[in-house]
Amino acid sequence: MTSATDGASTPTGSWAGADFQDPPRTPGGVALCGACRVAGSCRLGVEGERLDRDGVAVFELTCPRDQEGGPNVAHGGWTAAVLDDCLGHLPCCTAC
């Protein structure tokens, strides 16, 4: 079966993200997940996200103090989590 959305074959016939809705955003344009909506900001420290003129995704972020592995050093777990979060935001960046 082929999806009308992207031409990919899926068991249900529709793309998994076909029902995607644009999430609420911060003034910096950051799409907020369910947990961060309550806080009103990204708890991982993503402060801005946008597409530049060439279509390259640009993320502005700061490692929160409570995510440091040592003084002024980002913890490896935070690094992995923020990378995962930013990659997950790429579909949202078309609306940035």
Side-chain angles (χ1 to χ4, degrees):
M1 186 175 288
T2 301
S3 167
T5 306
D6 63 2
S9 177
T10 64
T12 63
S14 62
W15 178 62
D19 63 346
F20 179 79
Q21 297 177 8
D22 197 34
R25 296 179 181 275
T26 66
V30 178
L32 296 176
C33 68
C36 291
R37 287 178 198 164
V38 175
S41 64
C42 178
R43 297 178 301 150
L44 290 174
V46 181
E47 298 167 349
E49 59 186 29
R50 62 181 169 78
L51 288 178
D52 70 8
R53 292 181 186 173
D54 296 325
V56 175
V58 177
F59 295 91
E60 300 166 17
L61 53 106
T62 302
C63 180
R65 291 269 182 208
D66 65 343
Q67 299 294 325
E68 291 181 352
N72 298 314
V73 177
H75 189 278
W78 173 83
T79 304
V82 79
L83 174 62
D84 179 68
D85 195 59
C86 289
L87 289 175
H89 285 211
L90 289 177
C92 301
C93 281
T94 59
C96 292

